[in-house]
Amino acid sequence: MIKQLNYNDLPEVLSVIHKSFATVAVEFNITRENCPNHTSFMKLETLQKRFSNGELMFAVHSGDEFIGFVGISDAGNGTYELHNLAVLPEYRQNGYGKMLIDYAKEKVRAFGGQKITIGIIEENTRLMNWYTANGFVHTGTRKFDHLPFTVGFMEWRDNK
């Protein structure tokens, strides 16, 4: 049900990322004008560059269709960064996000990692609560001049 992506999968999975993050853009009034680099507007070249730089990308599928995505990258010293966890809106609330996050945790453990970090929209309390329910703790915030929201940082530590 979860597949590690190859380079040729990227155009298809980019559509999943765009559709998934579009709901966030609408909810938080994120536009191409006020946040051109938001995930909902990601360019294929960006995803391809991340893939070429070693980010591992995984997708959950239903039949032949990708319905969710997550990327992980090695940040060094046993820490991995989680990127763009996404589930298509029509498939949300069915456990696919938890499936992807649990899979990412398993991969990080297999690589000898002990920690996963993420950055989210701080004002997205629903998402923050979801990550908290999945073992993440809030570690701080930062306001970037180029973003119309505050970034909240969270991390998960392997206690096994």
Side-chain angles (χ1 to χ4, degrees):
M1 195 147 212
I2 295 180
K3 165 187 173 170
Q4 184 167 346
L5 299 176
N6 62 52
Y7 194 83
N8 294 332
D9 294 320
L10 299 183
E12 184 180 350
V13 83
L14 183 62
S15 175
V16 172
I17 293 168
H18 284 164
K19 289 175 186 173
S20 299
F21 279 86
T23 61
V24 176
V26 168
E27 183 176 353
F28 292 95
N29 197 31
I30 297 168
T31 66
R32 286 188 191 276
E33 290 72 35
N34 68 14
C35 194
N37 292 323
H38 185 259
T39 309
S40 59
F41 313 120
M42 183 188 299
K43 295 178 179 166
L44 179 59
E45 296 77 30
T46 301
L47 197 61
Q48 290 169 330
K49 182 177 181 184
R50 287 174 26 193
F51 184 92
S52 296
N53 287 338
E55 183 177 321
L56 299 176
M57 299 179 180
F58 305 93
V60 61
H61 56 87
S62 176
D64 293 336
E65 177 186 18
F66 291 133
I67 62 170
F69 170 86
V70 68
I72 55 173
S73 62
D74 188 346
N77 297 321
T79 298
Y80 286 76
E81 189 172 347
L82 189 79
H83 303 280
N84 308 128
L85 179 73
V87 175
L88 288 172
E90 62 268 30
Y91 289 94
R92 291 178 183 161
Q93 308 300 318
N94 291 301
Y96 294 113
K98 180 170 178 26
M99 185 185 303
L100 284 165
I101 202 140
D102 288 346
Y103 191 82
K105 289 174 184 177
E106 289 174 24
K107 285 293 186 187
V108 166
R109 281 187 188 112
F111 299 144
Q114 301 86 34
K115 181 168 73 169
I116 299 174
T117 61
I118 57 169
I120 65 169
I121 296 174
E122 176 72 13
E123 295 82 0
N124 193 338
T125 54
R126 184 172 16 96
L127 184 61
M128 188 179 302
N129 291 338
W130 183 83
Y131 274 111
T132 298
N134 281 285
F136 285 73
V137 295
H138 189 263
T139 59
T141 62
R142 184 167 174 200
K143 182 71 178 130
F144 294 91
D145 290 339
H146 67 285
L147 297 176
F149 52 83
T150 302
V151 176
F153 296 99
M154 301 184 80
E155 68 180 40
W156 167 85
R157 290 187 179 266
D158 187 9
N159 294 323
K160 289 187 178 179

